[in-house]
């Protein structure tokens, strides 16, 4: 499952009018671009409608990535309206990946509801994902702004990296020799690339200088990695009340998460390897033993240190992007929301 | 299954050097853009490698669409090199759709070999399709030509129509009330849009006047429809030696092909509707009876007449595109190859 912040609250700090404008733009693009059958699936998946197509009356998802995209447009001197095509595009790509990931992973629930493929079948859900990906590119290319072409290039490059990361993740499940650099790279591709794109796409669209765009992208990519590390730590030692996950949840499914891979590659990991890489399920005492072995092998410390390092690096990138204090503070607030701790 | 000309020969009339350049450009893009796991699937699907990744030593597919894209660049005054990004992009989109269609349709063979999803599994094959779609957009956007942005817009729009057509096709399987205009629109979206794009994408990329680009697109779209009509006729009354299909093949699987839908919507189709729309399999005498009823209801004549009408319209569009005699003749030769009869 693609990682997202554990909180289901909307992204903070933005006025309701901005969120309303974002949802309206997203709906308009889906309406204009998608075939009615696929639109129905998109409405369901985005939380706007139930399986029969009736409006749910509830708000959609967190809209974290599009909020970052709008902020990056404003940070580069553009208006909210200028940034909307970037915001729509990034949210469509994110949701295209969720639709396909749920099929690939065989996941049956998302955001507390049955996943789209379980409701509409695999064929139409593959197509709905394909249609959202194409609509994302169109949204950018149709924008009447000189940065549309470089922005579309950034989005497509980030999409390709996200797909590469997902491919590596699927392949890791069957491998016993995943190295830590490989695993970091996978997380950077799968989670970091799209978050980096979200933080820079609006700026690229309004024609910001390439150096500023790159700094914003690097900021978002470091935040994405820090988020993944924190999420992986919570997946082993987290508070179930806060995360909605059982303690040890990731260990029970033998996820090759970052702290685990760090530990598997540390000296003296023979007992851990023997337990974690065998095919028989782990008993509950074994799950606790694995958590202990990962910690003893330094996996927990490594992940905490690496998360801190990424957060420091993100701050440095943001400071180097040369943006005004107000949008800088908003980026930091969103980063705190993503990483889930003081930033 | 997405329709392609019955012949497996390469598209005619182009020198070997052009085909070699096309394959080299396609390989280079796949190599540069795709994750190694997904590259492996692409190489297999494109016929370059076997399931273990060993080179097959055989040539890939017909390369019809990229040949048309290169021709459209030359017809608009560009070089073959100018047209290559368009050729690569259109072939990648075509093959992305084949990879996903084979999963959706549950097809187990393509071009005489097991389909990719049966060899590499559904998850990686979904991803390989996604990666090829993203690589197609990148190939165009990276082209150092002023027409890159409008060309990418054309490709994305055609891709969205292709997806819409596939969605309609899947939905038709469960409907008894498909109208002829709906069916024509589905075929135009599913088959016509990408062929129209192939015939115009190179011209758009080299900056041809929009009116010329539109004429070339309309030419290709009419050819696509004519091809689909001819293919549907062969699927009912075709010569198995020529088409590789059994006579009545499309009827046995109750395909809602164009001649059948024309007949189902004609007056006095009660017997046909009763046979064709029931759930029990058709016996061989019933298959022959259905073919007879489709013909009596005018389905065969309608499809022949409509194919002729499309061919005439295609010629008119080509004549109106104002291109030189040599590329015009090449377009006509390729059209003859696609439609499989005198043009």
């Amino acid at each position: 499952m693609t990682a997202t912040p554990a909180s289901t609250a909307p992204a903070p700090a933005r006025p309701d009018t901005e969120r309303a404008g974002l949802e309206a733009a997203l709906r308009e693009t889906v309406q204009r671009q998608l075939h009615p059958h696929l639109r129905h699936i998109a409405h369901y998946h985005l939380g706007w409608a139930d399986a029969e197509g009736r409006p749910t009356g509830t708000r959609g998802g967190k809209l974290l990535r599009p909020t970052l995209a709008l902020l990056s447009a404003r940070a580069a001197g553009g208006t909210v309206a200028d940034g909307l095509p970037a915001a729509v595009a990034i949210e469509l790509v994110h949701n295209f990946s969720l639709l396909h990931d749920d099929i690939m992973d065989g996941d049956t629930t998302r955001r507390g509801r049955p996943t789209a493929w379980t409701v509409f079948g695999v064929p139409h859900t593959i197509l709905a994902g394909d249609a959202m990906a194409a609509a994302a590119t169109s949204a950018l290319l149709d924008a009447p702004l000189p940065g549309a072409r470089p922005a579309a290039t950034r989005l497509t490059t980030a999409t390709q990296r996200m797909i590469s990361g997902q491919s590596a993740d699927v392949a890791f499940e069957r491998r016993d020799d995943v190295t830590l650099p490989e695993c970091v790279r996978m997380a950077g591709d799968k989670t970091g690339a799209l978050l980096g794109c979200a933080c820079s796409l609006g700026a690229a669209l309004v024609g910001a200088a390439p150096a500023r765009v790159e700094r914003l992208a690097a900021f978002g990519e470091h935040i994405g990695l820090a988020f993944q590390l924190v999420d992986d730590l919570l997946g082993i030692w987290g508070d179930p009340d806060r995360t909605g996950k059982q303690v040890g949840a990731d260990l029970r499914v033998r996820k090759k998460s970052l702290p685990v891979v760090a530990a598997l590659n540390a000296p003296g990991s023979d007992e851990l390897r023997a337990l974690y890489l065998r095919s028989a399920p782990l008993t509950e005492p074994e799950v606790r033993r694995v958590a202990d072995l990962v910690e003893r092998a330094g996996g927990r410390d490594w992940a905490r240190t690496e998360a801190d390092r990424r957060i420091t690096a993100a701050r440095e990138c943001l400071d180097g992007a040369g943006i005004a204090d107000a949008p800088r503070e908003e980026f930091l607030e969103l980063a705190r929301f993503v990483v889930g701790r003081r930033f």
Side-chain angles (χ1 to χ4, degrees), chain A:
Chain A
M1 187 181 287
T2 296
T4 48
S7 165
T8 54
R14 300 303 312 149
D16 270 6
T17 49
E18 184 177 303
R19 191 182 160 95
L22 193 47
E23 285 202 0
L26 202 50
R27 278 177 188 270
E28 192 277 325
T29 300
V30 168
Q31 184 70 25
R32 188 162 38 82
Q33 294 270 344
L34 268 63
H35 186 275
H37 292 295
L38 306 178
R39 207 186 289 157
H40 182 174
I41 299 174
H43 281 219
Y44 174 83
H45 171 75
L46 291 164
W48 302 340
D50 66 14
E52 284 73 40
R54 292 176 298 235
T56 51
T58 58
R59 291 177 144 199
K62 293 181 296 290
L63 301 181
L64 166 69
R65 290 164 190 76
T67 300
L68 286 165
L70 286 186
L71 176 53
S72 85
R74 287 193 289 116
T79 64
V80 168
D82 289 341
L84 276 176
V88 166
I90 201 89
E91 186 67 1
L92 288 171
V93 167
H94 174 56
N95 282 286
F96 132 67
S97 80
L98 297 181
L99 282 172
H100 283 190
D101 283 2
D102 284 343
I103 297 170
M104 289 185 249
D105 298 343
D107 284 330
T108 55
T109 61
R110 171 171 297 280
R111 299 168 189 154
R113 303 197 307 164
T115 46
W117 70 269
T118 67
V119 178
F120 302 101
V122 167
H124 267 120
T125 304
I126 291 177
L127 285 171
D130 292 344
M132 287 168 95
T137 309
S138 289
L140 278 182
L141 291 172
D142 291 349
L145 289 165
R149 180 174 167 183
T153 299
R154 294 194 81 80
L155 182 73
T156 311
T157 304
T159 303
Q160 191 68 260
R161 282 188 59 201
M162 180 185 73
I163 293 164
S164 292
Q166 175 69 4
S167 175
D169 199 21
V170 173
F172 285 0
E173 286 170 21
R174 277 183 282 174
R175 281 180 51 195
D176 288 349
D177 59 350
V178 177
T179 66
L180 190 53
E182 279 182 308
C183 197
V184 170
R185 178 170 181 171
M186 181 278 284
D189 285 345
K190 188 173 164 179
T191 308
L194 204 65
L195 214 56
C197 188
C199 291
S200 59
L201 197 62
L205 185 60
V206 302
R212 172 178 285 185
V213 176
E214 287 304 329
R215 288 295 178 102
L216 289 173
F219 163 78
E221 187 147 349
H222 285 305
I223 295 297
L225 243 300
F227 159 68
Q228 190 60 63
L229 288 155
V230 170
D231 193 62
D232 284 356
L233 286 165
L234 292 172
I236 304 177
W237 296 284
D239 172 0
D241 289 341
R242 192 180 147 213
T243 63
K245 286 181 175 184
Q246 280 188 287
V247 174
D250 285 355
L251 301 180
R252 247 169 240 110
V253 295
R254 282 200 181 70
K255 191 172 156 187
K256 294 206 178 73
S257 67
L258 287 157
V260 172
V261 172
L264 286 169
N265 285 284
S269 64
D270 293 353
E271 186 187 346
L272 176 63
R273 295 187 70 86
L275 274 171
Y276 210 66
L277 304 177
R278 75 176 193 205
S279 54
L282 296 171
T283 64
E284 281 308 303
E286 284 172 338
V287 168
R288 288 192 294 276
R289 178 71 184 156
V290 164
D292 193 40
L293 289 168
V294 171
E295 184 157 6
R296 284 195 206 186
R300 189 173 194 175
D301 280 347
W302 174 83
R304 283 171 167 164
T305 306
E306 183 65 14
D308 286 339
R309 200 180 72 75
R310 293 285 178 169
I311 287 168
T312 303
R315 263 192 179 280
E316 287 170 5
C317 291
L318 190 62
D319 290 342
I323 59 175
D325 283 350
R328 185 175 166 281
E329 275 309 309
E330 289 183 54
F331 267 124
L332 290 174
E333 189 174 354
L334 285 161
R336 278 177 213 118
F337 171 75
V338 175
V339 180
R341 60 186 197 169
R342 296 311 298 169
F343 193 71

